[in-house]
Amino acid sequence: AFAVNPNTLYTISTDDMDLNIGDDYEISIDRGEGTEKVTGVTTMIDSVIITQPSSRLNFEDNANFRVRWFPRSQDTDGEPSVYDVSMIIRFEEVDLNNPDIEGNMKSLEWELAKSITQEMEVVKLGGEFFAFLSNNLEAKTDIGRNYRGIDIVVDAGGEEILDYVRVGTANLGITASQEIPFYSNLSEGRGIFSSRNRTVKSRVLLNAPTQERIIEHELTKDLNFNFN
C-alpha cells in the first residue's frame, strides 16, 4: 500500500551492474529531509541446472513424471532457499476452415509446485497433465492446435523470499489468531530486498506414445492437437 500518488518505479539495466554469485549487496534509500536512510542486505543467488526431464517428456495416466534440478553453485552462500516450478505449454491455434490463414501462438502455464524448500524435485501423476489440458482449453471443431513444445521453468529465490513465505503462512489455520503478520528485511517500512533467478529448459518435446495418448485420450481427444 502506498500513501501517495503517483508511485514511482525505479529500474536499472543489467549491463550497468556487476553482480557476483555469493556476494552480499546492500540497498540504501535516501528519503531526504534529514531522515535516516532505509537499508536492506541480501546475497546474490545462483541459477539451477535442470536434470530431468533429460530429453522427451512422457505422460501416462497411472505413472509419475519428475522435474529435478540442483543449484549450479557449489558455494552455499549463493545457494537458493526456495523454488517454484512450472511448465509452459506452447502451441499454435489454426483455423481448420481457413488453412491458409496464419495461426496464433498460444501458451498455458501449469504451476507444478510453489515454495519448495527441501526436495529438489517435483513428482506428479501423468494423468494430471491430460486433466490440465482439458480444464484449460475449449474443444472447438474448427480449431486445430499444433504442439510447439513445453518449457520447464524453475524459479529460485533467496532466503528473504523464503522468510516472507513462512511468515505469511504461519498464521493460517482454524486456531490462528486474527493478526495479519508481515515480513520485511528493510530497516524501516515494508518491503523485501532479495534476489531470484529463473532457469528455463525450452521447447521440450513429447515422446511418441504421449502424442498418441493426447490424440486418443478421453479428456483431450476433442482438443484437436497435431504433432507434425
Coordinates of all heavy atoms in Angstrom, one line a residue, residues 120-202:
M120 N 14.6 -31.3 -4.1 CA 14.8 -30.6 -5.4 C 14.3 -31.4 -6.5 O 14.9 -31.6 -7.5 CB 16.3 -30.3 -5.6 CG 16.9 -29.3 -4.5 SD 18.6 -28.8 -4.8 CE 18.9 -28.0 -3.3
E121 N 13.0 -31.7 -6.3 CA 12.3 -32.4 -7.4 C 10.8 -32.3 -7.2 O 10.3 -32.1 -6.0 CB 12.7 -33.9 -7.5 CG 12.1 -34.8 -6.4 CD 12.3 -36.3 -6.7 OE1 12.9 -36.6 -7.7 OE2 11.9 -37.1 -5.8
V122 N 10.0 -32.4 -8.2 CA 8.6 -32.4 -8.2 C 8.1 -33.7 -8.8 O 8.6 -34.0 -10.0 CB 8.0 -31.2 -8.9 CG1 6.5 -31.3 -9.0 CG2 8.4 -29.9 -8.2
V123 N 7.2 -34.4 -8.2 CA 6.7 -35.6 -8.7 C 5.2 -35.5 -8.9 O 4.5 -35.1 -7.9 CB 7.0 -36.8 -7.8 CG1 6.4 -38.1 -8.4 CG2 8.5 -37.0 -7.5
K124 N 4.7 -35.7 -10.1 CA 3.3 -35.6 -10.4 C 2.8 -36.9 -11.2 O 3.6 -37.5 -11.8 CB 3.0 -34.4 -11.3 CG 3.2 -33.0 -10.6 CD 2.0 -32.7 -9.7 CE 2.1 -31.3 -9.2 NZ 0.9 -31.0 -8.4
L125 N 1.5 -37.1 -11.1 CA 0.9 -38.2 -11.8 C 0.7 -37.7 -13.2 O 0.1 -36.6 -13.5 CB -0.4 -38.6 -11.1 CG -1.0 -40.0 -11.5 CD1 0.0 -41.1 -11.2 CD2 -2.3 -40.2 -10.9
G126 N 1.0 -38.6 -14.2 CA 0.9 -38.2 -15.6 C -0.6 -37.8 -16.0 O -0.8 -36.9 -16.8
G127 N -1.5 -38.4 -15.3 CA -2.9 -38.1 -15.6 C -3.3 -36.7 -15.4 O -4.2 -36.2 -16.0
E128 N -2.6 -36.0 -14.5 CA -2.8 -34.6 -14.2 C -2.6 -33.7 -15.4 O -3.2 -32.7 -15.6 CB -2.0 -34.1 -13.0 CG -2.3 -34.8 -11.7 CD -1.5 -34.3 -10.5 OE1 -1.5 -33.1 -10.4 OE2 -0.9 -35.1 -9.8
F129 N -1.7 -34.1 -16.3 CA -1.4 -33.4 -17.5 C -2.6 -33.3 -18.4 O -3.0 -32.3 -18.9 CB -0.2 -34.0 -18.2 CG 0.1 -33.4 -19.5 CD1 0.7 -32.1 -19.6 CD2 -0.2 -34.1 -20.7 CE1 1.0 -31.6 -20.9 CE2 0.1 -33.5 -21.9 CZ 0.7 -32.3 -22.0
F130 N -3.2 -34.5 -18.6 CA -4.4 -34.5 -19.5 C -5.5 -33.7 -18.9 O -6.3 -33.0 -19.6 CB -4.8 -36.0 -19.8 CG -3.7 -36.8 -20.4 CD1 -2.9 -37.7 -19.6 CD2 -3.4 -36.7 -21.7 CE1 -1.9 -38.4 -20.1 CE2 -2.3 -37.4 -22.3 CZ -1.6 -38.3 -21.5
A131 N -5.7 -33.8 -17.6 CA -6.8 -33.1 -16.9 C -6.5 -31.6 -17.0 O -7.5 -30.8 -17.2 CB -6.8 -33.5 -15.4
F132 N -5.3 -31.2 -16.9 CA -5.0 -29.7 -17.0 C -5.3 -29.2 -18.4 O -5.9 -28.1 -18.5 CB -3.5 -29.5 -16.7 CG -3.0 -28.1 -16.9 CD1 -3.3 -27.1 -16.0 CD2 -2.4 -27.7 -18.1 CE1 -2.9 -25.8 -16.1 CE2 -2.0 -26.3 -18.3 CZ -2.3 -25.4 -17.3
L133 N -5.0 -29.9 -19.4 CA -5.3 -29.5 -20.8 C -6.8 -29.4 -21.0 O -7.4 -28.5 -21.5 CB -4.7 -30.5 -21.8 CG -3.2 -30.5 -22.0 CD1 -2.8 -31.5 -23.0 CD2 -2.7 -29.1 -22.4
S134 N -7.5 -30.4 -20.5 CA -9.0 -30.5 -20.6 C -9.7 -29.3 -19.9 O -10.6 -28.8 -20.4 CB -9.5 -31.8 -20.1 OG -10.9 -31.9 -20.1
N135 N -9.1 -29.0 -18.7 CA -9.7 -27.9 -17.9 C -9.4 -26.5 -18.4 O -10.1 -25.6 -18.0 CB -9.3 -28.1 -16.4 CG -9.8 -29.3 -15.8 OD1 -10.9 -29.8 -16.1 ND2 -9.1 -29.8 -14.8
N136 N -8.4 -26.4 -19.2 CA -8.0 -25.0 -19.6 C -8.1 -24.7 -21.1 O -7.8 -23.6 -21.5 CB -6.5 -24.8 -19.2 CG -6.4 -24.7 -17.7 OD1 -6.5 -23.6 -17.1 ND2 -6.1 -25.8 -17.0
L137 N -8.5 -25.7 -21.9 CA -8.7 -25.5 -23.3 C -10.1 -25.9 -23.7 O -10.7 -26.9 -23.2 CB -7.7 -26.3 -24.1 CG -6.3 -25.9 -24.0 CD1 -5.4 -26.8 -24.8 CD2 -6.1 -24.5 -24.6
E138 N -10.7 -25.1 -24.6 CA -12.1 -25.4 -25.0 C -12.0 -26.2 -26.3 O -11.2 -25.9 -27.3 CB -12.8 -24.1 -25.3 CG -14.3 -24.3 -25.7 CD -15.0 -22.9 -25.9 OE1 -14.3 -21.9 -25.6 OE2 -16.1 -22.9 -26.4
A139 N -12.8 -27.2 -26.4 CA -12.9 -28.1 -27.6 C -13.7 -27.3 -28.6 O -14.9 -27.0 -28.4 CB -13.5 -29.4 -27.3
K140 N -13.1 -27.1 -29.8 CA -13.8 -26.5 -30.9 C -13.5 -27.2 -32.2 O -12.4 -27.5 -32.5 CB -13.4 -25.0 -31.1 CG -13.7 -24.1 -29.9 CD -13.2 -22.7 -30.1 CE -13.6 -21.8 -29.0 NZ -13.1 -20.4 -29.2
T141 N -14.6 -27.6 -32.9 CA -14.4 -28.4 -34.1 C -13.6 -27.7 -35.2 O -13.0 -28.3 -36.1 CB -15.8 -28.8 -34.7 OG1 -16.6 -27.6 -34.9 CG2 -16.5 -29.7 -33.7
D142 N -13.7 -26.3 -35.2 CA -13.0 -25.6 -36.3 C -11.6 -25.1 -35.9 O -11.0 -24.4 -36.7 CB -13.9 -24.4 -36.7 CG -14.2 -23.5 -35.6 OD1 -14.0 -23.9 -34.4 OD2 -14.5 -22.3 -35.9
I143 N -11.1 -25.5 -34.7 CA -9.8 -25.0 -34.2 C -8.9 -26.2 -34.1 O -9.2 -27.2 -33.4 CB -9.9 -24.3 -32.9 CG1 -10.7 -23.0 -33.1 CG2 -8.5 -24.0 -32.3 CD1 -9.9 -21.9 -33.9
G144 N -7.7 -26.1 -34.7 CA -6.7 -27.1 -34.5 C -5.5 -26.5 -33.7 O -5.3 -25.3 -33.7
R145 N -4.8 -27.4 -33.1 CA -3.7 -26.9 -32.2 C -2.4 -27.7 -32.5 O -2.3 -28.9 -32.3 CB -4.0 -27.1 -30.7 CG -5.2 -26.2 -30.3 CD -5.6 -26.5 -28.9 NE -6.6 -25.5 -28.4 CZ -7.9 -25.7 -28.3 NH1 -8.4 -26.9 -28.7 NH2 -8.7 -24.7 -27.9
N146 N -1.4 -27.0 -33.0 CA -0.1 -27.5 -33.4 C 0.8 -27.4 -32.2 O 1.2 -26.3 -31.8 CB 0.5 -26.8 -34.6 CG -0.4 -27.0 -35.8 OD1 -1.0 -28.0 -36.1 ND2 -0.5 -25.9 -36.7
Y147 N 1.3 -28.5 -31.7 CA 2.1 -28.5 -30.5 C 3.5 -27.9 -30.8 O 4.1 -28.3 -31.9 CB 2.3 -30.0 -30.0 CG 3.2 -30.1 -28.8 CD1 2.8 -29.7 -27.5 CD2 4.5 -30.6 -29.0 CE1 3.7 -29.9 -26.4 CE2 5.4 -30.7 -27.9 CZ 4.9 -30.4 -26.6 OH 5.8 -30.5 -25.5
R148 N 4.0 -27.0 -30.0 CA 5.3 -26.4 -30.2 C 6.3 -26.5 -29.1 O 7.3 -25.9 -29.1 CB 5.0 -24.9 -30.5 CG 4.3 -24.6 -31.7 CD 5.1 -24.9 -32.9 NE 4.5 -24.6 -34.2 CZ 3.9 -25.6 -35.0 NH1 4.0 -26.9 -34.6 NH2 3.4 -25.3 -36.1
G149 N 6.0 -27.4 -28.1 CA 7.0 -27.7 -27.1 C 6.5 -27.2 -25.7 O 5.6 -26.4 -25.6
I150 N 7.2 -27.7 -24.7 CA 7.0 -27.3 -23.3 C 8.2 -26.7 -22.7 O 9.3 -27.3 -22.8 CB 6.5 -28.5 -22.5 CG1 5.1 -29.0 -22.9 CG2 6.5 -28.2 -21.0 CD1 4.6 -30.2 -22.2
D151 N 8.1 -25.6 -22.1 CA 9.2 -25.0 -21.3 C 9.1 -25.5 -19.9 O 8.1 -25.3 -19.2 CB 9.2 -23.5 -21.4 CG 9.4 -22.9 -22.8 OD1 9.8 -23.7 -23.7 OD2 9.2 -21.7 -23.0
I152 N 10.2 -26.0 -19.3 CA 10.3 -26.4 -17.9 C 10.9 -25.2 -17.2 O 12.0 -24.7 -17.6 CB 11.2 -27.6 -17.7 CG1 10.7 -28.7 -18.6 CG2 11.1 -28.0 -16.2 CD1 9.3 -29.2 -18.4
V153 N 10.3 -24.6 -16.2 CA 10.7 -23.4 -15.6 C 10.9 -23.6 -14.1 O 10.0 -24.1 -13.4 CB 9.7 -22.2 -15.8 CG1 10.2 -21.0 -15.1 CG2 9.4 -22.0 -17.2
V154 N 12.1 -23.3 -13.6 CA 12.4 -23.4 -12.2 C 12.8 -22.0 -11.7 O 13.8 -21.4 -12.2 CB 13.5 -24.4 -11.8 CG1 13.8 -24.3 -10.3 CG2 13.1 -25.8 -12.3
D155 N 12.0 -21.4 -10.9 CA 12.3 -20.0 -10.3 C 12.9 -20.3 -8.9 O 12.3 -20.9 -8.0 CB 11.1 -19.2 -10.2 CG 10.6 -18.7 -11.5 OD1 11.4 -18.0 -12.2 OD2 9.4 -18.9 -11.9
A156 N 14.1 -19.7 -8.7 CA 14.8 -19.9 -7.4 C 14.9 -18.5 -6.7 O 15.0 -17.5 -7.3 CB 16.3 -20.3 -7.7
G157 N 14.6 -18.6 -5.4 CA 14.6 -17.3 -4.6 C 15.5 -17.4 -3.4 O 15.9 -18.4 -3.0
G158 N 15.9 -16.2 -3.0 CA 16.8 -16.0 -1.9 C 16.1 -16.3 -0.5 O 14.9 -16.5 -0.4
E159 N 16.9 -16.3 0.5 CA 16.5 -16.6 1.9 C 15.4 -15.6 2.3 O 14.4 -16.0 3.0 CB 17.6 -16.5 2.9 CG 17.3 -16.9 4.3 CD 18.5 -16.9 5.2 OE1 19.6 -16.6 4.8 OE2 18.3 -17.3 6.4
E160 N 15.4 -14.4 1.9 CA 14.4 -13.4 2.3 C 13.0 -13.8 1.8 O 12.0 -13.5 2.4 CB 14.8 -12.0 1.9 CG 16.2 -11.5 2.5 CD 17.4 -12.0 1.7 OE1 17.2 -12.6 0.6 OE2 18.5 -11.9 2.2
I161 N 13.0 -14.3 0.6 CA 11.7 -14.7 0.0 C 11.2 -15.9 0.8 O 10.0 -15.9 1.0 CB 11.9 -15.0 -1.5 CG1 12.4 -13.8 -2.3 CG2 10.6 -15.6 -2.1 CD1 12.7 -14.0 -3.7
L162 N 12.0 -16.8 1.1 CA 11.6 -17.9 2.0 C 11.0 -17.4 3.3 O 9.9 -17.9 3.7 CB 12.7 -18.9 2.2 CG 12.4 -20.1 3.2 CD1 11.3 -20.9 2.7 CD2 13.7 -20.9 3.4
D163 N 11.7 -16.5 3.9 CA 11.2 -16.0 5.2 C 9.8 -15.3 5.0 O 8.9 -15.4 5.9 CB 12.2 -14.9 5.8 CG 13.5 -15.6 6.3 OD1 13.4 -16.8 6.5 OD2 14.5 -14.9 6.4
Y164 N 9.7 -14.6 3.9 CA 8.4 -13.9 3.6 C 7.3 -15.0 3.5 O 6.2 -14.8 4.0 CB 8.5 -13.1 2.3 CG 7.2 -12.6 1.8 CD1 6.6 -11.5 2.3 CD2 6.6 -13.2 0.7 CE1 5.4 -11.0 1.9 CE2 5.4 -12.8 0.2 CZ 4.8 -11.7 0.8 OH 3.6 -11.2 0.3
V165 N 7.6 -16.1 2.8 CA 6.6 -17.1 2.6 C 6.2 -17.8 3.9 O 5.0 -18.0 4.3 CB 7.1 -18.2 1.6 CG1 6.2 -19.4 1.6 CG2 7.2 -17.6 0.2
R166 N 7.2 -18.0 4.8 CA 7.0 -18.7 6.1 C 6.2 -17.8 7.0 O 5.2 -18.3 7.7 CB 8.3 -19.0 6.7 CG 9.0 -20.2 6.1 CD 10.4 -20.5 6.7 NE 10.9 -21.7 6.3 CZ 12.2 -22.1 6.5 NH1 13.0 -21.2 7.1 NH2 12.6 -23.3 6.1
V167 N 6.5 -16.5 7.0 CA 5.7 -15.6 7.9 C 4.3 -15.5 7.4 O 3.3 -15.5 8.2 CB 6.4 -14.2 7.9 CG1 5.4 -13.2 8.6 CG2 7.7 -14.3 8.7
G168 N 4.1 -15.5 6.1 CA 2.7 -15.4 5.5 C 1.8 -16.5 5.8 O 0.6 -16.4 5.8
T169 N 2.4 -17.7 6.0 CA 1.6 -18.9 6.2 C 1.6 -19.3 7.7 O 0.9 -20.2 8.1 CB 2.2 -20.1 5.4 OG1 3.6 -20.3 5.8 CG2 2.1 -19.8 3.9
A170 N 2.4 -18.6 8.5 CA 2.5 -19.0 9.9 C 1.2 -18.8 10.7 O 0.9 -19.5 11.7 CB 3.6 -18.2 10.6
N171 N 0.3 -17.9 10.2 CA -0.9 -17.6 11.0 C -2.1 -18.2 10.4 O -3.2 -17.8 10.6 CB -1.0 -16.0 11.0 CG -1.9 -15.6 12.2 OD1 -1.8 -16.1 13.3 ND2 -2.8 -14.6 12.0
L172 N -2.0 -19.1 9.5 CA -3.1 -19.8 8.8 C -3.6 -20.9 9.7 O -2.9 -21.5 10.5 CB -2.7 -20.3 7.5 CG -2.3 -19.2 6.4 CD1 -1.9 -19.9 5.1 CD2 -3.4 -18.2 6.2
G173 N -4.8 -21.3 9.5 CA -5.4 -22.5 10.2 C -6.6 -22.1 11.1 O -6.8 -20.9 11.4
I174 N -7.3 -23.0 11.6 CA -8.5 -22.8 12.3 C -8.2 -22.1 13.7 O -9.0 -21.2 14.1 CB -9.2 -24.2 12.6 CG1 -9.7 -24.8 11.3 CG2 -10.4 -24.0 13.5 CD1 -10.2 -26.2 11.5
T175 N -7.1 -22.4 14.3 CA -6.8 -21.8 15.6 C -5.9 -20.6 15.5 O -5.4 -20.1 16.5 CB -6.1 -22.9 16.5 OG1 -4.9 -23.3 15.8 CG2 -7.0 -24.1 16.7
A176 N -5.7 -20.1 14.3 CA -4.8 -18.9 14.1 C -5.5 -17.7 14.7 O -6.7 -17.6 14.8 CB -4.6 -18.7 12.6
S177 N -4.6 -16.8 15.1 CA -5.1 -15.5 15.6 C -5.6 -14.6 14.5 O -5.5 -15.0 13.3 CB -4.0 -14.8 16.4 OG -3.0 -14.3 15.5
Q178 N -6.2 -13.5 14.8 CA -6.7 -12.6 13.8 C -5.7 -11.6 13.3 O -6.0 -10.8 12.5 CB -8.0 -11.8 14.4 CG -9.1 -12.8 14.8 CD -9.6 -13.6 13.6 OE1 -9.8 -13.1 12.5 NE2 -9.7 -14.9 13.8
E179 N -4.5 -11.6 13.9 CA -3.4 -10.7 13.5 C -2.9 -11.1 12.1 O -2.8 -12.3 11.8 CB -2.3 -10.8 14.5 CG -2.7 -10.2 15.9 CD -1.5 -10.3 16.8 OE1 -0.4 -10.6 16.3 OE2 -1.7 -10.0 18.0
I180 N -2.6 -10.1 11.3 CA -2.1 -10.4 10.0 C -0.6 -10.1 10.0 O -0.2 -9.0 10.1 CB -2.8 -9.5 8.9 CG1 -4.3 -9.7 8.9 CG2 -2.2 -9.7 7.5 CD1 -5.0 -8.8 7.9
P181 N 0.2 -11.2 10.0 CA 1.7 -11.0 10.1 C 2.2 -10.4 8.8 O 1.7 -10.6 7.7 CB 2.2 -12.4 10.3 CG 1.2 -13.2 9.7 CD -0.1 -12.6 9.8
F182 N 3.4 -9.7 8.9 CA 4.1 -9.3 7.7 C 5.6 -9.4 7.9 O 6.0 -9.4 9.0 CB 3.7 -7.9 7.3 CG 4.3 -6.8 8.2 CD1 5.5 -6.2 7.9 CD2 3.7 -6.4 9.3 CE1 6.1 -5.3 8.7 CE2 4.2 -5.4 10.1 CZ 5.4 -4.8 9.8
Y183 N 6.3 -9.5 6.8 CA 7.7 -9.7 6.9 C 8.4 -8.6 6.0 O 7.9 -8.3 4.9 CB 8.2 -11.1 6.4 CG 9.7 -11.1 6.2 CD1 10.5 -11.4 7.2 CD2 10.2 -11.0 4.9 CE1 11.9 -11.5 7.0 CE2 11.6 -11.0 4.7 CZ 12.4 -11.3 5.8 OH 13.8 -11.3 5.6
S184 N 9.4 -8.0 6.6 CA 10.2 -7.0 5.9 C 11.7 -7.2 6.3 O 11.9 -7.3 7.5 CB 9.7 -5.6 6.1 OG 10.6 -4.7 5.5
N185 N 12.6 -7.1 5.4 CA 14.0 -7.1 5.8 C 14.6 -5.7 5.5 O 15.9 -5.6 5.4 CB 14.8 -8.2 5.1 CG 15.0 -7.9 3.6 OD1 14.0 -7.4 2.9 ND2 16.1 -8.3 3.0
L186 N 13.8 -4.7 5.5 CA 14.3 -3.3 5.4 C 14.4 -2.7 6.8 O 13.6 -3.1 7.7 CB 13.4 -2.5 4.5 CG 13.2 -2.9 3.1 CD1 12.3 -2.0 2.3 CD2 14.6 -2.9 2.4
S187 N 15.2 -1.8 7.0 CA 15.4 -1.2 8.3 C 14.2 -0.4 8.8 O 13.9 -0.3 10.0 CB 16.6 -0.2 8.3 OG 16.5 0.8 7.3
E188 N 13.4 0.1 7.8 CA 12.1 0.8 8.1 C 11.1 0.5 7.0 O 11.5 0.2 5.9 CB 12.3 2.3 8.2 CG 13.1 2.8 9.4 CD 13.1 4.3 9.5 OE1 12.0 4.9 9.5 OE2 14.2 4.9 9.7
G189 N 9.9 0.7 7.3 CA 8.8 0.5 6.3 C 8.6 -1.0 6.0 O 9.0 -1.9 6.8
R190 N 8.0 -1.3 4.9 CA 7.8 -2.7 4.5 C 8.3 -2.9 3.1 O 8.2 -2.1 2.2 CB 6.2 -2.9 4.4 CG 5.6 -2.9 5.8 CD 4.1 -3.4 5.7 NE 3.4 -3.2 6.9 CZ 2.2 -3.8 7.2 NH1 1.6 -4.4 6.2 NH2 1.6 -3.6 8.3
G191 N 8.9 -4.0 2.9 CA 9.5 -4.4 1.6 C 10.4 -5.6 1.7 O 10.9 -5.9 2.8
I192 N 10.8 -6.2 0.6 CA 11.7 -7.3 0.6 C 12.8 -6.9 -0.4 O 12.6 -6.6 -1.5 CB 11.0 -8.6 0.1 CG1 9.9 -8.9 1.1 CG2 12.0 -9.7 0.1 CD1 9.1 -10.1 0.6
F193 N 14.1 -7.0 0.1 CA 15.2 -6.9 -0.8 C 15.9 -8.2 -0.8 O 16.4 -8.7 0.1 CB 16.2 -5.8 -0.2 CG 17.4 -5.6 -1.0 CD1 17.3 -5.2 -2.3 CD2 18.7 -5.8 -0.5 CE1 18.4 -5.0 -3.1 CE2 19.8 -5.6 -1.3 CZ 19.7 -5.2 -2.6
S194 N 15.8 -8.9 -2.0 CA 16.3 -10.2 -2.2 C 16.7 -10.4 -3.6 O 16.8 -9.5 -4.4 CB 15.2 -11.2 -1.8 OG 15.8 -12.5 -1.7
S195 N 17.1 -11.6 -4.0 CA 17.5 -11.9 -5.4 C 16.7 -13.2 -5.8 O 16.3 -14.0 -5.0 CB 19.0 -12.1 -5.5 OG 19.4 -13.3 -4.8
R196 N 16.6 -13.3 -7.1 CA 15.9 -14.5 -7.6 C 16.5 -14.8 -9.0 O 17.1 -13.9 -9.6 CB 14.4 -14.4 -7.7 CG 14.0 -13.3 -8.7 CD 12.4 -13.3 -8.8 NE 12.0 -12.4 -9.9 CZ 10.7 -12.1 -10.2 NH1 9.8 -12.8 -9.5 NH2 10.4 -11.3 -11.1
N197 N 16.4 -16.1 -9.4 CA 17.0 -16.5 -10.7 C 16.0 -17.4 -11.4 O 15.3 -18.3 -10.7 CB 18.3 -17.2 -10.5 CG 19.4 -16.4 -11.1 OD1 19.3 -15.8 -12.2 ND2 20.5 -16.3 -10.4
R198 N 15.8 -17.3 -12.7 CA 14.9 -18.2 -13.4 C 15.7 -19.0 -14.4 O 16.5 -18.5 -15.2 CB 13.8 -17.4 -14.2 CG 13.1 -18.2 -15.2 CD 11.8 -17.4 -15.7 NE 10.8 -17.5 -14.7 CZ 9.5 -17.2 -15.0 NH1 9.1 -16.9 -16.3 NH2 8.6 -17.3 -14.1
T199 N 15.5 -20.3 -14.4 CA 16.1 -21.2 -15.3 C 15.0 -21.9 -16.2 O 14.0 -22.4 -15.6 CB 16.9 -22.3 -14.6 OG1 17.9 -21.7 -13.8 CG2 17.6 -23.3 -15.6
V200 N 15.2 -21.9 -17.5 CA 14.2 -22.4 -18.4 C 14.9 -23.4 -19.3 O 15.9 -23.2 -19.9 CB 13.6 -21.3 -19.3 CG1 12.5 -21.9 -20.2 CG2 13.0 -20.2 -18.4
K201 N 14.3 -24.6 -19.3 CA 14.6 -25.6 -20.3 C 13.6 -25.6 -21.4 O 12.4 -26.0 -21.2 CB 14.7 -27.0 -19.7 CG 15.3 -28.1 -20.6 CD 15.6 -29.3 -19.8 CE 16.5 -30.3 -20.6 NZ 16.9 -31.5 -19.7
S202 N 14.0 -25.0 -22.6 CA 13.0 -24.6 -23.6 C 12.6 -25.7 -24.6 O 13.5 -26.6 -24.9 CB 13.5 -23.4 -24.4 OG 13.8 -22.3 -23.5

